[in-house]
């Protein structure tokens, strides 16, 4: 999953604007996340261990799923140049290996004087919300992103 980059500036945003991306969770994703973070909880890595849990099988790290929100923010809405300020997360249900996660980010509020956007974030599997929350990002204006163009204008 390498989403195509789309750059939106603060003046391009409007309440209700949304973007969705889908990602099917592979074993290699979960193993890679464990290697990068050091979170080697066997519920993520050992089918034998996970079979004895209430989930019955291995599950993806919750923060891996949350990281998919970052993929949307950094590549599509608002995209390159956006600065993450904060994120709230509510973990609602597990994500299993092989699940396809649909990540939707929607502009909920714009704060022009600070160039901030508050975005609702939802991750769902087969229509069931597995994670939700809100992100706050700083979004550059066109003039900030290309000061030379702003002087010519």
């Amino acid at each position: 999953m390498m989403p195509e980059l789309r750059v939106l500036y603060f003046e391009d945003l409007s309440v209700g604007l949304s973007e969705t991306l889908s990602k099917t969770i592979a074993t290699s994703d979960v193993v890679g996340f464990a290697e990068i973070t050091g979170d080697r909880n066997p519920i993520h890595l050992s089918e034998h261990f996970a079979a004895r849990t209430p989930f019955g099988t291995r599950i993806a790290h919750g923060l891996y799923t949350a990281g998919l929100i970052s993929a949307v923010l950094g590549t599509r809405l608002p995209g390159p140049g956006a600065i993450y300020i904060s994120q709230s997360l509510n973990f609602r249900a597990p994500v299993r290996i092989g699940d396809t996660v649909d990540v939707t980010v929607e502009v909920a509020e714009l704060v022009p004087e600070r160039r901030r956007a508050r975005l609702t974030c939802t991750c769902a599997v087969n229509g069931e919300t597995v994670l939700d929350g809100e992100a706050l990002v700083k979004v550059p204006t066109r003039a900030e992103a290309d000061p030379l163009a702003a002087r010519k204008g």
Side-chain angles (χ1 to χ4, degrees):
M1 169 201 78
M2 290 297 283
E4 182 181 329
L5 295 179
R6 177 177 76 175
V7 179
L8 295 173
Y9 300 104
F10 189 83
E11 50 269 48
D12 299 324
L13 301 180
S14 60
V15 172
L17 182 65
S18 68
E19 182 71 33
T20 299
L21 109 104
S22 297
K23 169 77 170 105
T24 300
I25 308 305
T27 293
S28 59
D29 298 324
V30 174
V31 171
F33 190 84
E35 289 175 359
I36 289 169
T37 63
D39 181 351
R40 299 171 33 106
N41 183 333
I43 199 160
H44 307 302
L45 303 173
S46 168
E47 196 61 56
H48 177 73
F49 179 91
R52 298 187 319 253
T53 70
F55 304 119
T57 190
R58 292 169 55 208
I59 60 171
H61 301 76
L63 285 179
Y64 174 77
T65 304
L68 300 174
I69 295 169
S70 181
V72 176
L73 297 178
T75 64
R76 304 290 299 160
L77 178 62
I83 305 296
Y84 232 139
I85 295 173
S86 67
Q87 176 77 57
S88 67
L89 299 169
N90 304 296
F91 298 95
R92 307 285 184 190
V95 174
R96 294 171 171 79
I97 310 298
D99 282 349
T100 298
V101 179
D102 298 312
V103 184
T104 303
V105 171
E106 181 176 335
V107 177
E109 178 185 16
L110 296 170
V111 184
E113 60 276 7
R114 303 209 56 209
R115 294 173 329 282
R116 305 283 199 265
R118 186 173 55 85
L119 305 126
T120 58
C121 308
T122 306
C123 299
V125 173
N126 295 323
E128 178 189 1
T129 298
V130 296
L131 185 157
D132 61 17
E134 286 189 346
L136 184 65
V137 296
K138 181 178 180 181
V139 185
T141 63
R142 272 191 179 72
E144 290 170 325
D146 189 357
L148 292 177
R151 280 189 247 151
K152 291 178 192 173

